[in-house]
Amino acid sequence: MHLLPTPEQRELRSAVRAICESEFPAERLGAEASTLDRGLWRRLGEMGLFALRLPEVDGGVGLGTAEAVLAFEELGRALVPGPLVATHLATPYLPGAATGERLAGIVDLREAPLLVEHHADLDDLLLLDGDRLLRADPAAVPARPVERPLDPWTPVSVAAAPPDGEPVAQGPAVAALRRDGALLTAALQVGIAAAVLDRAVRYVGEREQFGRPVGAFQAVKHAAADMLVRLELARSAVWAAAATCDAPEAGDPDRAVAAAKLLAGEAATKNSLAAVQLHGGMGFAWEVDVHFFLKRSWLHDTCWGDADTHAEALAAAL
Amino acid sequence: MDIAYTAEEDAFRAEVRAWLGEVLPALPPAPPPHDWPARRVFDTTWQRTLYDAGYGGLDWPAEYGGRGASPVQQLILLEETERARAPYGVANYVGLKHAGPTIAAEGTPAQKERHLGPILRGDEVWCQGFSEPGAGSDLASLRTRAVRDGDDYVLTGQKIWTSHSLVADFCEILVRTDPDAPKHKGLTWLIMPMDAPGVRLRPLRTIMGSTDFAEMFLDGVRVPVANRVGAENDGWRVAMVTLSFERGTAFTGELVNSMVLVEELARLARKLTRRSGTAWNDAGLRREIGHLAAGYDALWALTLRNVSEAAAGSVPGVGATVFKLRLTELRTTLLELFARLLGRAGLTMSDLDDLGNGYYVEERLRALSLTIAGGTSNIQRNIIAERLLGLPK
């Protein structure tokens, strides 16, 4: 038992952080973009982010879930836009997803209204239908883009009717895909929770009122401390869940992932809300980038099971 | 990143489990909580039993009679003893987790020789004399004076919250030796025999109705200079060493106990009938219980992280304060949920039917001490903000 990243895993994390900082620096968040940066996507593919867990015999990197959550935390921290989780999960089924040549999306047909993220940019669309996974051609799915998406970096379209597709997987493979989707999203949420904490700490250390940095006031300190508590517990839960997915005999992967998604969602959203509050008036200004993180948190909360769903699953496991 | 235990660790767990299966059924029933002399005998006998089996000072270095076991093995022992509901041995706590390790790290050869063996064997019970009526969160402002007189210090002042001091042999006491120095620079850490003339105790009744604590009055108590641990006026640093031993796996038992209680909470909810079906039919309640389970799973994961850091030879950085803060707050949430389920059965600490309410109601009260003792929650938040996040003082 050793629940810490190994030196190799720490290296991978640093490498992902470096590429995020150079390819998608924070300054880009303020410049709205309607289409995805294909160059960035291919760079992520070249790094092996999408094929990270694909076995080497299938042309993948052959690493585990532990490496994947460390990488995805960094993608979340940088708020890299695009269907990251979907493309990563699609690699066993869609040629071209692994290299970043093709963009894949996923929708769960149980959702109503049926919103497709990044529809105009997608090359492939996977459909979750109960315990079946289907593949559809996004161009053949009639969907109307909404005019004012909540998250400026995540355009969404409303599908007119549930699309059809050809089956590509079913049963345990689909259950595992749902679990992995929840865990990778939780890792993105941990990254968001960390990024907004960094921003809040920086701001309250600089901003002066009443003749001192506002971060010297206990009420502000305690809000920041609570952000760290949420972050570290969520990160611990995500690491434990990833390690359990990699060694399923050592625990209950479903339960571990439910706890991770629940707490990471809470950490991302509550930390983002706290970060807006700690920025005072500037937290409500577009130019301060914290709102992008809050909006992405709200989006992730609706994906791969919301808090209530996972809380129910955890209770049922008792 | 690996969550699976090694074959060696699994074997150690099996060994502990088998041993507990042998010794626990032979234990006499625990004495009533208010009978401190009987509790001392019960707790120290359990410590002796642990010691004889080689588990007494698992985390202590072999040269002091311990086993020098790995942090993972300590974790396994704590987990197994708590799951098996072995005695907690509260009377041994200060000796095993505070005074003993402090003396091992900072004491003289004579102090080690005198105290470490007896603590491990359960022959010596210790209490803590740090807090004072005027020095709680601001511990360094304490005012109990120690004045040098020949080969002795002469102590005058008052301590409070000295747990199980009514049956203790020694007290780890923090006193002021230089009133003119800045508050952190004038303190000294001493070993005070509790039978020294001038030590007077007054039991302090808690909101549970119990007398786990006492007020301690010191009137010209003579403590030999040879009983000083560390240098004169270096007591603050020694005290920080003392408290650092609490940070590792000290509260693991509390966590395991809480995780067992979450399972009991779900069982109780499934059993209690309501107008329609059972309490478990309430989706809101189920989700709160699921939330609680997630919180405890995360605390367990954080424990594994902290233990892994300790095994790698580093002091838990982020983990210890975050753990203490969240563990104690969740305990209150957990016991409030029990109270909600119990309704008016929660009005008594005596058991009704087979609800187990007595224990839950007592724990509901005891939980209130946990967010205060060992640094209040708000002090923990200050520590996190100033030391971990670097916010201005």
Side-chain angles (χ1 to χ4, degrees):
Chain A
M1 195 287 295
H2 186 78
L3 197 63
L4 289 174
T6 62
E8 295 78 23
Q9 289 169 338
R10 288 204 299 269
E11 254 175 56
L12 171 82
R13 181 168 65 185
S14 304
V16 178
R17 184 178 296 193
I19 198 169
C20 288
E21 282 171 357
S22 68
E23 298 289 317
F24 195 76
E27 304 82 67
R28 274 189 67 180
L29 278 175
E32 282 154 85
S34 56
T35 57
L36 273 172
D37 179 347
R38 289 272 174 173
L40 166 67
W41 211 254
R42 270 191 294 274
R43 292 278 291 128
L44 297 177
E46 281 163 19
M47 260 212 99
L49 278 173
F50 301 124
L52 204 61
R53 292 182 309 136
L54 200 63
E56 283 175 276
V57 291
D58 299 326
V61 188
L63 289 173
T65 314
E67 285 81 10
V69 296
L70 292 172
F72 271 67
E73 178 179 331
E74 294 306 322
L75 297 170
R77 182 194 303 275
L79 212 65
V80 172
L84 295 161
V85 172
T87 303
H88 179 100
L89 295 175
T91 53
Y93 308 109
L94 303 174
T99 57
E101 292 301 315
R102 293 176 72 83
L103 270 120
I106 294 185
V107 287
D108 190 329
L109 298 182
R110 281 180 307 196
E111 303 292 344
L114 198 59
L115 295 182
V116 186
E117 296 165 22
H118 301 284
H119 182 249
D121 290 306
L122 297 180
D123 301 301
D124 291 290
L125 182 62
L126 291 172
L127 315 171
L128 276 165
D129 183 14
D131 72 341
R132 296 192 313 151
L133 184 69
L134 315 165
R135 177 188 182 173
D137 175 6
V141 175
R144 173 179 52 82
V146 303
E147 274 175 34
R148 300 169 63 210
L150 172 70
D151 172 7
W153 284 94
T154 310
V156 291
S157 305
V158 187
D164 282 331
E166 49 167 310
V168 290
Q170 64 175 356
V174 176
L177 181 137
R178 285 185 187 273
R179 197 181 67 206
D180 292 345
L183 181 55
L184 293 173
T185 304
L188 293 173
Q189 290 170 310
V190 168
I192 290 175
V196 294
L197 173 59
D198 286 349
R199 282 161 170 76
V201 166
R202 198 168 58 217
Y203 185 79
V204 302
E206 289 167 358
R207 169 74 174 169
E208 291 197 6
Q209 289 288 277
F210 306 103
R212 54 205 287 220
V214 295
F217 293 105
Q218 267 194 343
V220 171
K221 280 182 185 168
H222 290 188
D226 285 334
M227 291 171 77
L228 182 86
V229 171
R230 284 191 290 264
L231 165 65
E232 291 301 341
L233 283 164
R235 183 179 277 149
S236 302
V238 166
W239 286 5
T244 307
C245 287
D246 287 338
E249 70 287 349
D252 178 349
D254 289 328
R255 173 173 169 162
V257 169
K261 177 68 164 63
L262 179 64
L263 295 176
E266 205 171 84
T269 299
K270 287 193 176 172
N271 280 14
S272 298
L273 289 168
V276 169
Q277 179 70 24
L278 290 177
H279 277 77
M282 289 314 292
F284 202 66
W286 188 276
E287 68 177 82
V288 169
D289 62 14
V290 172
H291 69 106
F292 294 112
F293 290 87
L294 174 61
K295 290 163 180 173
R296 189 71 53 82
S297 300
W298 280 338
L299 179 136
H300 288 323
D301 270 342
T302 68
C303 303
W304 306 102
D306 63 8
D308 284 345
T309 308
H310 291 296
E312 279 277 8
L314 283 156
L318 288 171
Chain B
M1 214 186 273
D2 186 2
I3 204 164
Y5 291 96
T6 63
E8 203 186 347
E9 288 159 355
D10 280 336
F12 178 73
R13 186 187 298 278
E15 172 204 312
V16 170
R17 208 174 274 182
W19 178 75
L20 286 168
E22 257 171 57
V23 296
L24 290 183
L27 275 188
H34 307 315
D35 186 351
W36 276 96
R39 280 183 67 179
R40 175 186 164 126
V41 172
F42 184 79
D43 286 358
T44 54
T45 304
W46 172 243
Q47 178 58 24
R48 180 65 194 226
T49 310
L50 283 165
Y51 176 79
D52 287 344
Y55 301 123
L58 198 66
D59 53 339
W60 285 33
E63 56 177 312
Y64 303 131
R67 204 152 131 175
S70 74
V72 179
Q73 285 181 319
Q74 297 166 41
L75 178 74
I76 290 170
L77 178 70
L78 287 166
E79 187 186 358
E80 290 301 320
T81 46
E82 184 59 44
R83 285 214 176 263
R85 305 234 156 151
Y88 174 60
V90 66
N92 308 311
Y93 182 85
V94 175
L96 285 171
K97 293 291 173 190
H98 277 189
T102 305
I103 291 170
E106 302 282 338
T108 64
Q111 289 165 351
K112 292 177 189 176
E113 176 67 27
R114 168 66 188 81
H115 293 289
L116 296 184
I119 289 173
L120 268 196
R121 289 192 296 271
D123 293 340
E124 248 177 36
V125 169
W126 283 65
C127 64
Q128 187 186 26
F130 280 17
S131 298
E132 294 181 6
S137 293
D138 184 10
L139 179 62
S141 71
L142 64 87
R143 290 193 310 201
T144 292
R145 283 283 281 131
V147 179
R148 185 82 176 256
D149 180 26
D151 290 335
D152 291 333
Y153 288 105
V154 180
L155 274 55
T156 307
Q158 187 192 345
K159 295 288 177 179
I160 195 169
W161 306 115
T162 49
S163 45
H164 45 266
S165 51
L166 298 169
V167 293
D169 305 305
F170 293 94
C171 178
E172 51 170 24
I173 190 165
L174 208 50
V175 293
R176 183 159 304 280
T177 33
D178 183 354
D180 300 322
K183 63 181 180 179
H184 294 87
K185 310 266 184 191
L187 303 177
T188 300
W189 202 107
L190 298 175
I191 301 169
M192 184 182 78
M194 290 297 284
D195 59 2
V199 177
R200 190 166 58 86
L201 296 171
R202 186 164 74 193
L204 199 160
R205 198 162 183 223
T206 69
I207 62 170
M208 297 172 71
S210 65
T211 49
D212 297 27
F213 300 100
E215 290 178 287
M216 184 164 72
F217 301 90
L218 307 168
D219 185 10
V221 179
R222 297 191 83 86
V223 174
V225 171
N227 282 17
R228 189 183 70 212
V229 176
E232 187 171 285
N233 296 327
D234 196 26
W236 183 255
R237 186 190 61 80
V238 181
M240 291 305 105
V241 171
T242 304
L243 297 176
S244 73
F245 298 110
E246 250 182 13
R247 304 222 169 100
T249 47
F251 300 112
T252 305
E254 194 87 38
L255 171 58
V256 173
N257 173 276
S258 295
M259 295 174 84
V260 171
L261 286 194
V262 173
E263 286 161 25
E264 285 183 18
L265 181 69
R267 269 201 298 279
L268 185 65
R270 286 182 169 113
K271 188 169 87 173
L272 291 175
T273 52
R274 292 286 187 264
R275 224 167 298 163
S276 64
T278 68
W280 193 250
N281 288 21
D282 176 351
L285 176 80
R286 283 200 308 272
R287 287 169 186 175
E288 281 184 61
I289 294 176
H291 234 97
L292 205 55
Y296 281 119
D297 284 357
L299 280 169
W300 183 250
L302 181 60
T303 300
L304 297 183
R305 247 175 97 177
N306 290 346
V307 166
S308 302
E309 281 183 1
S314 53
V315 179
V318 168
T321 314
V322 170
F323 180 79
K324 199 271 178 186
L325 179 58
R326 197 72 193 119
L327 176 77
T328 55
E329 291 189 340
L330 265 195
R331 184 83 179 180
T332 306
T333 310
L334 168 66
L335 274 309
E336 288 309 302
L337 272 176
F338 267 110
R340 211 164 96 193
L341 277 179
L342 289 171
R344 289 176 67 80
L347 295 182
T348 168
M349 285 180 257
S350 313
D351 277 331
L352 302 173
D353 304 326
D354 56 348
L355 285 174
N357 56 302
Y359 175 74
Y360 303 137
V361 177
E362 278 209 17
E363 285 301 306
R364 186 187 192 187
L365 286 171
R366 198 179 68 86
L368 302 180
S369 73
L370 302 177
T371 48
I372 300 167
T376 67
S377 292
N378 282 340
I379 288 291
Q380 305 295 334
R381 289 189 176 89
N382 286 352
I383 291 171
I384 292 171
E386 289 165 11
R387 295 191 206 155
L388 300 178
L389 295 175
L391 290 180
K393 283 220 167 200

